[in-house]
Amino acid sequence: FAVKVVPERIRPNEFFLKALRTSVRVIEHGGQRLGYVRIWSYARRQYHRVLIEELAEGSLKDVDGLVLDLRGGWGGAQPEYAELFVGGAPIMSFVGRDGREAFASFRWRRPVVVLVDEGTRSGKEVVAFGLQRQAVPVVGTRTSGALLAGRGFLLSDGSLLVLAVSDVRVEGERLEGRGVVPDLDVPFRLPYAAGRDPQLDAALGELAQRS
């Protein structure tokens, strides 16, 4: 059969923000309400702010636990983003005269499980590694191990050349070429998945035991 493909110019920031928001859902599992969100890109702080909004006052506010999906997409996350789930700072908010609440600081204090795969790279690997060191379960397959710091150079013909300009250590360890090894290794072979997501299923099972 014939398929007509029409190219469309996209705006990456708007595209990834929409994908993040539409990924949010609540899954009934074993009598529990478990939240799910997928971070397709972490290359701007705006994505982290949207995640906080969903956890603090959005669709995920009252769930019993959270699956944080960091598979695929772009990296760019900052190391301190992990503090949303393991930090000890108090939750502080401002309530205006209209009764609306705005959070100055927020911490998620319910169980969380992280999903990763070979497409999880860069700053996302840092977040996954940091959470794993704080006893947060990581499920999926080994991450890409792509953690060198890069810099873009605009060439005379308009091309963009991106080169590694510095090495990176996380807690003194070099993740480049090694990646983050999940606590629960779950392969995802798409041709044999039959429409299922075995990694998500495993993460939900792990989360249900901790919620």
Side-chain angles (χ1 to χ4, degrees):
F1 57 92
V3 177
K4 184 177 181 180
V5 179
V6 180
E8 180 180 352
R9 184 180 297 276
I10 65 171
R11 296 180 178 176
N13 184 48
E14 296 176 7
F15 178 80
F16 283 124
L17 278 174
K18 182 179 179 181
L20 190 162
R21 291 187 186 277
T22 56
S23 76
V24 174
R25 55 191 165 119
V26 178
I27 302 169
E28 298 287 343
H29 189 282
Q32 297 175 310
R33 300 177 71 254
L34 305 180
Y36 170 87
V37 61
R38 186 162 189 170
I39 310 294
W40 289 97
S41 173
Y42 237 150
R44 296 184 64 171
R45 289 188 178 271
Q46 188 176 8
Y47 303 120
H48 193 61
R49 289 197 295 268
V50 170
L51 174 60
I52 292 174
E53 290 173 8
E54 291 291 344
L55 293 174
E57 52 191 356
S59 304
L60 303 174
K61 179 180 179 181
D62 298 317
V63 296
D64 300 309
L66 177 72
V67 174
L68 179 66
D69 193 343
L70 300 181
R71 294 178 294 180
W74 292 359
Q78 299 300 310
E80 65 265 25
Y81 291 175
E83 295 177 5
L84 172 60
F85 302 101
V86 296
I91 297 173
M92 187 176 76
S93 62
F94 299 98
V95 180
R97 294 191 177 190
D98 58 359
R100 297 183 61 182
E101 185 177 22
F103 286 88
S105 64
F106 179 79
R107 294 294 180 269
W108 176 261
R109 290 175 177 160
R110 277 161 274 175
V112 59
V113 171
V114 180
L115 267 178
V116 299
D117 66 4
E118 59 278 2
T120 304
R121 57 177 51 84
S122 187
K124 285 185 181 180
E125 294 183 271
V126 177
V127 171
F129 180 80
L131 291 176
Q132 187 181 52
R133 287 178 64 91
Q134 296 295 322
V136 173
V138 175
V139 177
T141 52
R142 185 192 295 263
T143 64
S144 66
L147 207 62
L148 295 181
R151 179 181 175 188
F153 298 88
L154 187 62
L155 305 183
S156 58
D157 64 353
S159 301
L160 181 67
L161 175 65
V162 180
L163 291 176
V165 295
S166 59
D167 202 355
V168 177
R169 298 288 192 277
V170 184
E171 294 286 349
E173 297 188 35
R174 190 173 191 265
L175 298 181
E176 178 68 25
R178 192 190 80 184
V180 177
V181 179
D183 302 293
L184 180 58
D185 187 86
V186 182
F188 185 178
R189 298 180 178 88
L190 186 60
Y192 307 104
R196 295 177 56 252
D197 185 339
Q199 293 176 339
L200 176 57
D201 292 342
L204 290 170
E206 181 70 21
L207 183 60
Q209 295 179 26
R210 296 169 175 266
S211 301

